[in-house]
Amino acid sequence: MNPLTHVAIIMDGNGRWGLKYKNSRNAGHKAGLITVEKIIKESIKNKIQFLTLYAFSTENWKRPKKEVKFLFSLLENFLKDKIDDLNKQKIKLKIIGKKNFSLNLNKLLIISEKKTSKNKRLQINLALNYGSKAELINAFKELKKNKETINEKNIRKYLQTKNIPDPDILIRTGNTKRLSNFLLWQAAYSEIFFEKKLWPDFNEKNYNKIIKNYKNIKRNFGNI
Ligand code: FPP
């Protein structure tokens, strides 16, 4: 049985869910947040060490201002309401991506990271304003600036995910089969699961089914 340390998720399908059931994309994001909470709980039950959630990509800025604003207000309220609870549950929050949001949100993110930095039960890596290409370009620039050799070990040192093992499982919900600039380096050997359900409909049962399937896969990492 494969050990399971890190699950990464592209939480796709909020917009379609919202339009279908509530005639509002934002209602889908709100519903998506409930799934986030369910999956955090289930990750703890499964003793998973790292959970990486793709909440906002570098490309998501192209969305209508109203939707972007709503997403950040959802995040802000979530952190204000829940960070103490997450801390009590010994969850560590880490932001991956560039923190260039409003002054208030930047501050809140930094405080939330600081508050939970010593926790060891589950680390949630929240990908915000994250894009793999930007991450890699930054790593190469650092290597050049510091005149370091280009090799795997040195590249990793400058990734946002340094000190985090690569994901064992990468899940994308929403019935779409692409990686959308998410963890392109880190997912080199991840087991990828494309899930038909839209993110707000994804539940503990679906998650556990994926975990069970993953545990029985023969992982070769290029060997035979
Ligand atoms: C992709 O669905 C989802 C997002 C871009 C946002 C993800 C946000 C959440 C799950 C809720 C907020 C989370 C936190 C942690 C505060 P989409 O909008 O691209 O869906 P579509 O493909 O149906 O349009």
Side-chain angles (χ1 to χ4, degrees), residues 6-10 50 52 54 94-97 125 127 130-140 152 154-171 179-192 214 219 221:
H6 184 176
V7 176
I9 310 183
I10 302 175
F50 299 91
T52 302
Y54 204 9
K94 182 181 162 57
I95 307 302
I96 62 167
N125 307 308
Y130 172 86
S132 235
K133 289 184 180 176
E135 180 187 35
L136 284 165
I137 290 168
N138 179 61
F140 298 145
E152 191 167 331
N154 285 343
I155 291 172
R156 276 183 187 279
K157 219 165 60 178
Y158 294 112
L159 296 180
Q160 303 263 329
T161 53
K162 70 169 179 189
N163 304 327
I164 300 171
D166 286 344
D168 301 298
I169 296 180
L170 192 155
I171 301 171
L179 293 181
S180 301
N181 204 12
F182 185 51
L183 302 178
L184 299 181
W185 172 282
Q186 297 87 339
Y189 274 101
S190 303
E191 302 298 334
I192 302 182
Y214 158 81
R219 298 184 88 192
F221 298 98

Side-chain angles (χ1 to χ4, degrees), residues 35 73 79 91 114 121 132 135 154-155 174 180 186 218:
T35 307
S73 71
L79 288 178
I91 294 173
K114 231 181 183 170
R121 199 177 191 188
S132 235
E135 180 187 35
N154 285 343
I155 291 172
S180 301
Q186 297 87 339
K218 188 168 178 283

Side-chain angles (χ1 to χ4, degrees), residues 11-16 25 29 33 55 60 63 71 75 199:
M11 309 179 287
D12 194 21
N14 288 349
R16 277 167 285 163
R25 290 183 53 84
H29 294 310
L33 192 51
N60 286 150
R63 295 189 176 202
L71 275 168
L75 173 65
W199 178 248

